[in-house]
C-alpha cells in the first residue's frame, strides 16, 4: 500500500484489492474524510444491485472516495452519485473531448456504451450515516476483447480515442475536478448541478422501462425536479417521482 499525501486529500493506492468499496468499509475507522482508495487491480468488483463489475489488469480506475460529512443534517447524500456522474462527464469532455451522457440515475455512457459506473454505500453507526463510500469504476485502457464479454454494451477511453493512458494520472486529475465544485455542491445541493445534469441526460422525453425492487414498469421520462428525482408518467398518465431504480431501456 502506498499513501500519496497531497495538499487537499490522500490517495491510498493498493497493489490489488477484491473491491475498493469493501476495503474502504473494512478500514473505515482509519480513513480520513476525503480520502481516495484506488487500485488498478480489482479482483471482485461489485456493481449496483449486487451485480459484478468486470475488471481486468489493463490499467483501469477502480476507486472509492470516502466522505465523512461533519454536519450531516443538510448534506446532499442522495445527490452524491449524480454529482459524481456530472463530474465524470465534464472531465471526459475537457480531458479527452469525449461526449458522455448519463443514463438514469448515474451510469455514464459514450455512444450508448457504458464507460463508467458508480456505487455509493453508506457506513452507519447508531442509525446515523457516519460515512459514504463513493465507488467509481472507469474503463480507461480496457480492450474491446474484454469489453465484449460484459453483459451490456461497454467501452473504454482507450477504445474511444485509440490511445493508451496511465490511470493514476487520470485519477488524480479526476479527483481534482471532483473537489473544485464539491464545497459549493455541499452548500447548495442538487440545484448547482441540475442544469448540467439535465443537459447530459439521455433518457428525458423518452419512454423508459424501470426495474424497481425486481418489478419492471413502463414510464414516460418527463423531467428532473429540484431534488434530482425523476418525474415520470405511468401507463395511466399519473405523475410519479422516481428516486432510484434501474433504467433498462
Ligand atoms: C454499477 O454501474 O453498477 C456500479 C459499478 C461500480 C464499480 C466500482 S469499481 C470501484 C468500486 N469498488 C467496487 O467493488 N465497486 C465500485
Amino acid at each position: 500500500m502506498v499513501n500519496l499525501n497531497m495538499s487537499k486529500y490522500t490517495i491510498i493506492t493498493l497493489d490489488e484489492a477484491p473491491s475498493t468499496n469493501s476495503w474502504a468499509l473494512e478500514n473505515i475507522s482509519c480513513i480520513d474524510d476525503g480520502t481516495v482508495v484506488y487500485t488498478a487491480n480489482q479482483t471482485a468488483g461489485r456493481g449496483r444491485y449486487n451485480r459484478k463489475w468486470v475488471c481486468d489488469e489493463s490499467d483501469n480506475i477502480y476507486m472509492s472516495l470516502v466522505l465523512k460529512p461533519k454536519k450531516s443534517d443538510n448534506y446532499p447524500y442522495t445527490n452524491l452519485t449524480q454529482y459524481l456522474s456530472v463530474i465524470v462527464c465534464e472531465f471526459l469532455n475537457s480531458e479527452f473531448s469525449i461526449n458522455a451522457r448519463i443514463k438514469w440515475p448515474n451510469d455514464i455512457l459514450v455512444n450508448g456504451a457504458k464507460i463508467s459506473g458508480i456505487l455509493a454505500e453508506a457506513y452507519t453507526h447508531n442509525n446515523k450515516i457516519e460515512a459514504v463510500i463513493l465507488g467509481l469504476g472507469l474503463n480507461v485502457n480496457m480492450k474491446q476483447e474484454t469489453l465484449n464479454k460484459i453483459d451490456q454494451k461497454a467501452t473504454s477511453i482507450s477504445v474511444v480515442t485509440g490511445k493508451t493512458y496511465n490511470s493514476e494520472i487520470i485519477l488524480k486529475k479526476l479527483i481534482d475536478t471532483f473537489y473544485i465544485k464539491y464545497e459549493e455542491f455541499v452548500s447548495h445541493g442538487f440545484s448547482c448541478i441540475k442544469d448540467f445534469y439535465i443537459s447530459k441526460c439521455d433518457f428525458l422525453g423518452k419512454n423508459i422501462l424501470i426495474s424497481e425492487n425486481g418489478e419492471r414498469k413502463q414510464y414516460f421520462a418527463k423531467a428532473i425536479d429540484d431534488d434530482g428525482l425523476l418525474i415520470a408518467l405511468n401507463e395511466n398518465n399519473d405523475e410519479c417521482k422516481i428516486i432510484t431504480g434501474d433504467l433498462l431501456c
Side-chain angles (χ1 to χ4, degrees):
M1 188 214 298
V2 182
N3 278 11
L4 296 176
N5 277 312
M6 321 246 170
S7 52
K8 290 169 285 178
Y9 55 87
T10 301
I11 297 181
I12 299 175
T13 301
L14 306 170
D15 291 340
E16 188 184 281
S19 151
T20 54
N21 267 34
S22 303
W23 195 94
L25 270 171
E26 281 155 23
N27 295 280
I28 198 75
S29 57
C30 334
I31 302 177
D32 291 334
D33 173 37
T35 298
V36 176
V37 179
Y38 157 80
T39 188
N41 294 306
Q42 187 171 248
T43 52
R46 299 184 284 110
R48 294 171 71 227
Y49 302 107
N50 276 332
R51 285 188 288 243
K52 184 178 166 197
W53 182 255
V54 175
C55 309
D56 72 1
E57 291 176 6
S58 60
D59 195 13
N60 303 291
I61 291 177
Y62 308 111
M63 70 110 193
S64 302
L65 182 52
V66 177
L67 299 165
K68 294 183 169 178
K70 277 155 209 80
K71 281 189 233 148
S72 54
D73 287 358
N74 292 321
Y75 188 81
Y77 289 106
T78 53
N79 303 116
L80 262 177
T81 58
Q82 288 169 312
Y83 175 70
L84 181 55
S85 66
V86 158
I87 294 299
V88 174
C89 284
E90 205 171 75
F91 177 72
L92 289 175
N93 188 36
S94 63
E95 204 60 33
F96 308 100
S97 300
I98 290 177
N99 178 22
R101 311 279 297 159
I102 297 170
K103 180 176 149 198
W104 175 262
N106 49 52
D107 282 352
I108 296 137
L109 313 185
V110 177
N111 299 324
K114 188 156 164 176
I115 198 163
S116 180
I118 297 169
L119 173 68
E121 294 179 297
Y123 170 76
T124 54
H125 186 64
N126 292 337
N127 285 332
K128 191 176 161 275
I129 297 177
E130 298 273 326
V132 179
I133 293 151
L134 204 47
L136 176 92
L138 175 61
N139 298 331
V140 178
N141 293 302
M142 200 174 270
K143 302 220 166 27
Q144 195 60 59
E145 199 189 334
T146 312
L147 294 164
N148 289 343
K149 293 180 191 153
I150 298 177
D151 60 3
Q152 60 180 306
K153 234 177 126 193
T155 192
S156 65
I157 299 177
S158 180
V159 163
V160 177
T161 62
K163 296 178 188 162
T164 52
Y165 302 91
N166 178 323
S167 69
E168 270 193 85
I169 295 174
I170 293 178
L171 172 80
K172 167 80 178 54
K173 289 185 184 169
L174 177 62
I175 301 301
D176 284 345
T177 310
F178 180 92
Y179 279 118
I180 291 172
K181 292 180 187 151
Y182 178 66
E183 289 306 327
E184 188 191 345
F185 167 69
V186 171
S187 303
H188 300 284
F190 186 71
S191 66
C192 67
I193 55 162
K194 184 181 174 188
D195 290 348
F196 192 83
Y197 182 82
I198 289 173
S199 75
K200 291 290 168 188
C201 287
D202 72 346
F203 51 89
L204 288 177
K206 292 183 185 166
N207 289 317
I208 54 169
L209 187 63
I210 295 258
S211 163
E212 287 170 291
N213 308 318
E215 221 187 314
R216 291 169 173 222
K217 287 186 190 159
Q218 192 85 45
Y219 294 97
F220 175 77
K222 191 178 163 192
I224 299 291
D225 76 3
D226 288 347
D227 299 318
L229 303 179
L230 172 58
I231 309 290
L233 303 178
N234 68 13
E235 298 142 335
N236 304 324
N237 239 14
D238 298 325
E239 234 176 59
C240 311
K241 283 193 178 192
I242 297 177
I243 299 168
T244 174
D246 207 18
L247 200 156
L248 302 173
C249 59

